[in-house]
Amino acid sequence: MLLGIFTIMYIMTLAMQIFVPYIVRETIVFGVTVPEQNVKHPALAIAKKRYAQIVGLFGAIILIIMFVFYWLLAPAESAQGILLLSCLFGMLAVSMVLYWLNHQKVMKLKLRERWGLNIKQVRAVDLTARSRDEILPWPFYVVPIGVTVFLIMFTLLHYEQIPNAVAVHWGPSGAADAWQEKTYFSAVSLPLVMLMMQCMMWGIADSLKRSAIRLSINHQQESLESELKTRKFMSWNIALVSYSLTGLFTILQLSNIYPSMAEGKKLLPLFIAFLVLILGSVLVYAWKKRQLRLNYKDNVVSEVMDIDEDRYWKGGLIYMNRQDPSVFVEKRFGVGWTMNFANPRGYIVIGLPLLILLLVSIFSL
């Protein structure tokens, strides 16, 4: 069962890594800004194709190795997790090494052929864009928080009913494999973790709403529609994660109050459904993003181009721009958004909940 679930996760993740160059903006190639006039350069198409082929090949080889080790060694349940995760991270490491090599190649090609040096850089702005933004409003993110507050109160009211050992970790089979002595704090530690994650989801969604809407200077209307829909789908994904976590953690917490809920492998379908829902939502978002991608024509002639922001991206992966009030921006390589590490608000939205989660974990030991 574990091998089957992980294989599906692995294949879905591998597919995402293979098609990433064809999902991100066509004017961003391996983290490098490419002027619209040069997006059809043959070297770029070759680099993307080779990246996809090599990642796919190595991904398949690692998958075969994973099967061989799994069946020959027949590791224990704890060792199974280590083996499977090692294979997954190995595949991701291969894709990142290939990304870095191609990032350097594209940067050198851009400098050698002097792309964009004689073209005026312009930032397009639409003052009416905010009024058309369809990001989910804040009440959608408050509902899960209300559920958690009620769950904490419910747990305290039923404290005497909770067994002396409180489950705090569940293994691959869905059964609890780690417990702590019952105290008032350990009894509500799981809802507290859930509360911090929900607050983080709300903070991310709010910061996303405040982030800049980036338009293409030569395709303002098309890029505006793409941006608005991308932001809408991303807010749906964030809400889905928040609600899914709420459902999962609520059932796990109730299983501490009513142990019969977790007998045998009753919780395994819950974990499977959670993984399918989260991974499925990421794939749907990537598919939508691919559909919304602007298509550029060959031999474009234009006197202007979008602002080249390469200097704000470290390796095309880490964004640091003090002049940009946005907390989150779209990734240049990958699916989703990344933080503006030069904006202090991001450390509050992400860092503060993580710090509280760490403290909860330490004090619940």
Side-chain angles (χ1 to χ4, degrees), residues 133-142 202 205 209 235-236 239 243:
D133 207 352
E134 298 182 53
I135 289 180
L136 292 176
W138 64 267
F140 280 88
Y141 303 95
V142 175
W202 184 8
K209 188 177 184 67
S235 71
W236 289 1
Y243 279 80

Side-chain angles (χ1 to χ4, degrees), residues 307-323:
I307 298 292
D308 188 335
E309 296 185 334
D310 284 354
R311 62 187 180 278
Y312 300 123
W313 287 87
K314 310 305 178 184
L317 298 173
I318 300 174
Y319 183 66
M320 300 182 69
N321 184 358
R322 294 181 181 276
Q323 300 174 348

Side-chain angles (χ1 to χ4, degrees), residues 2-222:
L2 176 61
L3 181 61
I5 296 172
F6 190 86
T7 300
I8 294 173
M9 292 175 54
Y10 181 94
I11 292 174
M12 293 172 69
T13 306
L14 176 60
M16 290 284 292
Q17 293 301 311
I18 291 173
F19 292 107
V20 158
Y22 303 98
I23 296 174
V24 297
R25 296 182 181 184
E26 197 171 0
T27 51
I28 303 296
V29 181
F30 293 108
V32 180
T33 299
V34 176
E36 181 182 347
Q37 295 82 350
N38 305 103
V39 293
K40 300 301 182 181
H41 194 287
L44 300 180
I46 293 173
K48 293 178 184 179
K49 184 177 180 180
R50 285 180 177 173
Y51 167 87
Q53 291 173 338
I54 296 174
V55 170
L57 177 62
F58 273 88
I61 293 173
I62 293 173
L63 184 61
I64 293 172
I65 294 173
M66 180 181 75
F67 284 138
V68 170
F69 273 86
Y70 192 92
W71 290 112
L72 291 181
L73 301 180
E77 188 175 274
S78 58
Q80 290 176 13
I82 297 175
L83 171 63
L84 299 178
L85 287 176
S86 298
C87 292
L88 176 62
F89 286 119
M91 180 270 291
L92 292 174
V94 170
S95 68
M96 290 310 300
V97 169
L98 288 172
Y99 161 80
W100 180 253
L101 294 175
N102 281 289
H103 174 79
Q104 297 298 320
K105 288 181 181 178
V106 175
M107 282 290 293
K108 291 178 181 178
L109 178 64
K110 179 180 178 180
L111 292 174
R112 184 171 64 250
E113 300 198 1
R114 304 172 63 84
W115 289 349
L117 288 183
N118 299 317
I119 305 175
K120 184 179 180 180
Q121 297 183 20
V122 179
R123 187 182 303 280
V125 178
D126 187 334
L127 299 178
T128 67
R130 291 287 177 185
S131 62
R132 299 171 55 188
D133 207 352
E134 298 182 53
I135 289 180
L136 292 176
W138 64 267
F140 280 88
Y141 303 95
V142 175
V143 172
I145 294 176
V147 172
T148 303
V149 172
F150 174 80
L151 185 61
I152 293 174
M153 297 171 60
F154 184 84
T155 300
L156 295 175
L157 290 174
H158 293 77
Y159 180 77
E160 297 301 328
Q161 188 176 336
I162 300 174
N164 291 329
V166 179
V168 294
H169 187 272
W170 289 260
S173 64
D177 58 6
W179 296 264
Q180 291 177 352
E181 183 181 353
K182 183 179 74 170
T183 64
Y184 280 102
F185 186 78
S186 64
V188 298
S189 60
L190 192 61
L192 288 176
V193 169
M194 178 168 65
L195 181 62
M196 289 302 99
M197 296 180 74
Q198 291 165 340
C199 290
M200 186 167 63
M201 293 297 106
W202 184 8
I204 292 173
D206 181 70
S207 300
L208 183 64
K209 188 177 184 67
R210 299 168 185 266
S211 296
I213 299 177
R214 301 174 186 273
L215 307 180
S216 171
I217 186 62
N218 294 317
H219 305 270
Q220 295 188 37
Q221 189 57 40
E222 298 94 324

Side-chain angles (χ1 to χ4, degrees), residues 12 16 233 236-237 240 276-292 335:
M12 293 172 69
M16 290 284 292
F233 293 141
W236 289 1
N237 260 30
L240 179 62
V276 170
L277 192 61
I278 298 301
L279 290 175
S281 67
V282 173
L283 288 177
V284 170
Y285 175 80
W287 175 62
K288 288 288 187 181
K289 184 65 182 171
R290 181 65 182 87
Q291 286 186 319
L292 296 171
V335 177

Side-chain angles (χ1 to χ4, degrees), residues 251-301:
I251 294 177
L252 292 178
Q253 179 67 9
L254 290 176
S255 70
N256 274 327
I257 303 174
Y258 306 104
S260 61
M261 294 177 58
E263 291 178 351
K265 296 184 178 181
K266 288 184 178 180
L267 294 179
L268 183 57
L270 176 67
F271 287 106
I272 295 175
F274 176 77
L275 289 174
V276 170
L277 192 61
I278 298 301
L279 290 175
S281 67
V282 173
L283 288 177
V284 170
Y285 175 80
W287 175 62
K288 288 288 187 181
K289 184 65 182 171
R290 181 65 182 87
Q291 286 186 319
L292 296 171
R293 190 187 193 211
L294 291 180
N295 294 316
Y296 295 92
K297 298 179 180 179
D298 199 0
N299 299 320
V300 174
V301 177

